């Protein structure tokens, strides 16, 4: 069977950054460690005044097309995943295609374009759509371009304000891909939930603590569903487990839950028994509450064991290195986690060919999806092509009052009375230039 998966990845970060321990925490009157240790974040990326979901997505896509030497006719599908769209009808993919057509010969006239919405899981769903389109033989030898792009902004003062971020991930989905092949098997955990939503509003209504519970519950269901069609997973099966990362602290909880699930009835549970006992089984308890209390106590002990900590350091921590520095990119977040792990492996000389990843995506509202990926021969060369480190180093470091201004500029309903200057100088990229006669957003390429 033909392998289908991710052939190339490019990342575009917003050009500004907000330093959480040094700029955000003092204004909020918080201990900086709430951010660095609790949430696990150093900085958030922000869009400059001339950036938005279209410019970031188009810039990531252009980097990808240039590096792979692609022309528009090589691409048969452009799917954009976002939860920051500004139009209920015209998809962001048409804007991104319009940008790219400014700089390439030819056009995307015969490419199928769309926009996927299911909170943060939509990026993975767009990859699914591309996978299915290729597997169905409808691609005529062409590749699919998937762009996950978001400005993850919260209302000022919302507890989510600390987890903001902005950036785009462009991915090329092809037959015989260079980076990873996707498994046919998938698991879902999906329920109608009211944890995080944007009913005709720019910034989300969030029940933060509940959203974390829902994330974990749906992720567990997705893993069980995956196992029902794949195999009983074991912690040593996977080199890395990239999860959707709204902030690294969330993944700390997901990693522990996953480990507990995977070691049940294995030699690892036997090995840990003298130290922390066996995992509580629900059938041994009279009430659900008593069982849950016992599980919480057991997990507290499990997370302190050397066995768990070394697994976490090897399998989960490398997926969080980029996220710590950029915040939540919503639809792009799990794809940043995968890239982060691969980048870590490349920097450490780890041979990954043939190794497996387990990828856990999540979208509020709510749905988790889990599938496996097998690393392919060309992964290292592709990942070494990323310039994300340079991008992160060159971000403009916002003061608090500049941050307030940038947040206002990007708030649709707010009139910013002064003509705000950009903080960075665009060069070789697409920029937002203003609105047209039908209130459409307009873009130019700046040499
Ligand atoms: N030193 C070390 N750790 C500290 C600390 C200190 N001085 N102060 C606090 N902490 C720890 C806390 O103990 C806590 O960790 P645990 O959960 O492990 O106990 C962590 O830092 C955060 O502290 P709080 O819970 O007090 O933080 P908060 O109440 O201000 O907000 C939040 C946390 C609810 C996640 C908030 O940021 C939020 O609403 N975020 C948006 C929603 C979100 O991201 N939800 C995630 C699941 S939904 C999803 O994944 C979809 C999506 O992308 C949005």
């Amino acid at each position: 069977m033909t392998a289908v998966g991710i052939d190339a990845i490019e990342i575009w970060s917003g050009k500004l950054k907000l330093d959480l321990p040094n700029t955000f925490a003092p204004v909020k009157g918080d201990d900086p460690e709430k951010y660095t240790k609790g949430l696990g974040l150093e900085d958030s990326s922000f869009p400059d005044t001339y950036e938005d979901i279209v410019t970031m997505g188009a810039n990531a896509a252009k980097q990808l097309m240039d590096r792979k030497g692609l022309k528009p006719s090589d691409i048969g599908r452009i799917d954009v995943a976002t939860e920051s769209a500004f139009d209920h009808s015209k998809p962001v993919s048409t804007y991104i295609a319009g940008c790219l057509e400014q700089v390439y010969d030819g056009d995307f006239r015969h490419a199928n374009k769309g926009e996927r919405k299911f909170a943060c899981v939509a990026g993975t769903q767009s990859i699914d759509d591309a996978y299915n389109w290729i597997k169905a033989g409808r691609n005529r030898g062409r590749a699919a371009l998937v762009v996950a792009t978001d400005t993850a902004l919260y209302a000022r003062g919302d507890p989510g304000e600390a987890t903001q971020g902005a950036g785009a991930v462009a991915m090329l989905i092809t037959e015989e891909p260079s980076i990873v092949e996707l498994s046919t098997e998938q698991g879902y955990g999906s329920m109608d939930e009211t944890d995080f939503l944007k009913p005709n509003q720019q910034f989300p209504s969030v029940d933060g603590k509940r959203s974390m519970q829902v994330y974990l519950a749906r992720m567990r269901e997705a893993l069980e569903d995956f196992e029902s069609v794949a195999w009983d997973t074991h912690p040593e099966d996977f080199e890395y487990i990239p999860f959707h990362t709204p902030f690294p602290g969330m993944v700390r909880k997901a990693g522990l839950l996953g480990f507990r699930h995977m070691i049940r009835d294995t030699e690892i549970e036997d090995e840990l028994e003298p130290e922390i006992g066996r995992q509580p089984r629900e059938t041994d308890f009279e009430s659900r509450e008593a069982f849950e209390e016992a599980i919480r106590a057991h997990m507290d002990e499990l997370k302190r064991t050397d066995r768990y900590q070394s697994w976490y350091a090897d399998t989960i921590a490398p997926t969080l290195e980029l996220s710590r520095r950029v915040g939540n990119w919503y639809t792009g977040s799990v794809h940043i986690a995968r890239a982060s792990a691969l980048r870590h492996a490349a920097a450490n000389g780890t041979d990954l060919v043939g190794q497996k990843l387990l990828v856990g995506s999540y979208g509020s509202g709510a749905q988790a999806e889990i599938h496996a990926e097998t690393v392919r021969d060309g992964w290292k060369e592709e990942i070494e092509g990323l310039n994300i480190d340079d991008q992160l180093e060159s971000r403009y470091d916002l003061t608090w009052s500049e941050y307030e201004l940038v947040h206002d500029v990007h708030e649709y309903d707010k009139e910013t009375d002064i003509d705000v200057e950009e903080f960075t100088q665009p060069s070789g990229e697409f920029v937002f230039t203003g609105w047209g006669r039908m209130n459409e957003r307009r873009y130019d390429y700046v040499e």
Side-chain angles (χ1 to χ4, degrees):
M1 262 212 317
T2 322
V4 174
I6 305 175
D7 187 60
I9 300 177
E10 280 291 345
I11 304 173
W12 189 276
S13 167
K15 299 269 193 82
L16 310 178
K17 79 166 182 187
L18 177 64
D19 181 324
L20 292 166
N22 296 307
T23 307
F24 191 80
V27 176
K28 298 285 174 180
D30 285 331
D31 178 352
E33 293 201 339
K34 170 177 175 182
Y35 302 98
T36 52
K37 296 217 164 119
L39 295 172
L41 290 165
E42 297 289 341
D43 306 310
S44 307
S45 281
F46 275 85
D48 205 334
T49 53
Y50 56 85
E51 294 187 292
D52 67 8
I53 51 171
V54 172
T55 63
M56 295 187 300
N59 288 322
K62 180 171 182 300
Q63 282 194 156
L64 187 148
M65 289 181 64
D66 287 348
R67 192 160 60 74
K68 299 295 282 187
L70 298 172
K71 42 191 193 312
S73 57
D74 297 325
I75 291 170
R77 240 188 121 92
I78 306 179
D79 289 298
V80 171
T82 185
E83 48 186 303
S84 324
F86 45 79
D87 193 312
H88 290 304
S89 177
K90 182 176 157 61
V92 171
S93 50
T94 59
Y95 282 100
I96 289 182
C99 285
L100 296 171
E101 284 168 356
Q102 291 182 33
V103 295
Y104 293 109
D105 289 336
D107 58 40
F108 296 95
R109 189 178 303 266
H110 300 298
N112 187 7
K113 306 181 189 97
E115 189 174 300
R116 254 290 189 173
K117 180 177 72 181
F118 196 145
C120 310
V121 76
T124 297
Q125 290 182 319
S126 298
I127 294 178
D128 263 8
D129 292 340
Y131 176 96
N132 295 335
W133 171 72
I134 294 172
K135 284 275 178 181
R138 291 179 142 179
N139 61 320
R140 300 184 231 157
R142 296 174 301 170
L145 177 63
V146 167
V147 181
T149 181
D150 271 299
T151 46
L153 299 185
Y154 289 75
R156 298 287 315 286
D158 187 288
E161 194 181 3
T163 67
Q164 298 176 114
V169 182
M171 289 166 282
L172 196 71
I173 313 302
T174 64
E175 292 169 71
E176 302 305 336
S178 296
I179 303 181
V180 287
E181 174 185 1
L182 307 180
S183 66
T184 311
E185 297 83 8
Q186 291 177 293
Y188 294 102
S190 188
M191 292 279 284
D192 176 12
E193 297 279 4
T194 312
D195 54 338
F196 171 112
L197 53 157
K198 298 183 180 177
N200 284 326
Q201 62 198 47
Q202 184 186 3
F203 301 135
S205 300
V206 193
D207 184 341
K209 302 285 178 203
R210 183 162 158 63
S211 73
M212 295 166 71
Q213 293 310 318
V214 176
Y215 174 119
L216 295 174
R218 301 292 85 81
M219 201 63 90
R220 182 176 49 74
E221 291 162 1
L223 181 55
E224 286 166 355
D225 193 40
F226 173 77
E227 289 182 328
S228 77
V229 289
W231 71 95
D232 280 340
T233 56
H234 184 281
E236 306 305 333
D237 291 346
F238 306 103
E239 194 72 22
Y240 300 111
I241 305 188
F243 280 105
H244 168 58
T245 311
F247 53 93
M250 183 73 239
V251 172
R252 231 171 24 230
K253 296 177 199 295
L256 182 62
L257 194 79
F259 187 78
R260 187 196 90 203
H261 176 91
M262 289 192 274
I263 64 169
R264 199 175 301 145
D265 296 322
T266 67
E267 77 294 352
I268 302 182
E269 187 176 26
D270 298 343
E271 192 189 304
L272 289 173
E273 188 175 358
E275 198 179 341
I276 59 168
R278 296 186 80 74
Q279 295 184 22
R281 267 50 174 186
E282 192 163 2
T283 44
D284 296 338
F285 291 83
E286 301 222 320
S287 69
R288 176 90 198 160
E289 291 70 40
F291 167 66
E292 281 176 1
E293 205 183 312
I295 279 282
R296 273 196 296 276
H298 182 82
M299 292 203 9
D300 265 352
E301 293 193 62
L302 177 61
K303 80 173 169 217
R304 292 196 193 94
T305 61
D306 291 346
R307 188 74 164 88
Y308 174 70
Q309 290 194 358
S310 75
W311 175 81
Y312 182 89
D314 291 345
T315 314
I316 306 286
T319 70
L320 304 175
E321 289 170 1
L322 290 175
S323 169
R324 285 183 75 76
R325 303 173 65 192
V326 302
N328 194 356
W329 287 11
Y330 287 162
T331 54
S333 154
V334 65
H335 308 293
I336 287 285
R338 180 199 295 100
S340 177
L342 298 179
R343 173 178 157 277
H344 176 94
N348 288 283
T350 311
D351 180 11
L352 282 187
V353 178
Q355 299 298 321
K356 286 204 163 13
L357 314 179
L358 188 71
V359 180
S361 304
Y362 175 75
S364 297
Q367 180 161 304
E369 188 267 4
I370 289 194
H371 66 266
E373 296 179 357
T374 307
V375 181
R376 305 264 299 177
D377 284 354
W379 75 275
K380 194 156 184 274
E381 199 186 329
E382 288 296 325
I383 292 302
E384 285 176 344
L386 291 176
N387 64 2
I388 184 64
D389 291 287
D390 295 341
Q391 290 186 46
L392 297 187
E393 280 312 309
S394 59
R395 287 176 301 178
Y396 178 88
D397 190 2
L398 294 165
T399 64
W400 180 257
S401 58
E402 288 167 343
Y403 158 66
E404 291 186 301
L405 192 62
V406 167
H407 200 286
D408 284 355
V409 167
H410 289 287
E411 182 169 346
Y412 300 150
D413 294 338
K414 208 157 214 164
E415 292 284 323
T416 29
D417 44 352
I418 43 171
D419 197 10
V420 183
E421 291 288 325
E422 62 259 19
F423 294 91
T424 57
Q425 191 59 45
S427 157
E429 67 196 271
F430 297 103
V431 297
F432 168 65
T433 56
W435 288 265
R437 74 185 169 90
M438 290 175 76
N439 209 24
E440 76 277 18
R441 290 173 77 90
R442 301 185 67 88
Y443 301 92
D444 272 343
Y445 186 74
V446 173
E447 291 295 342

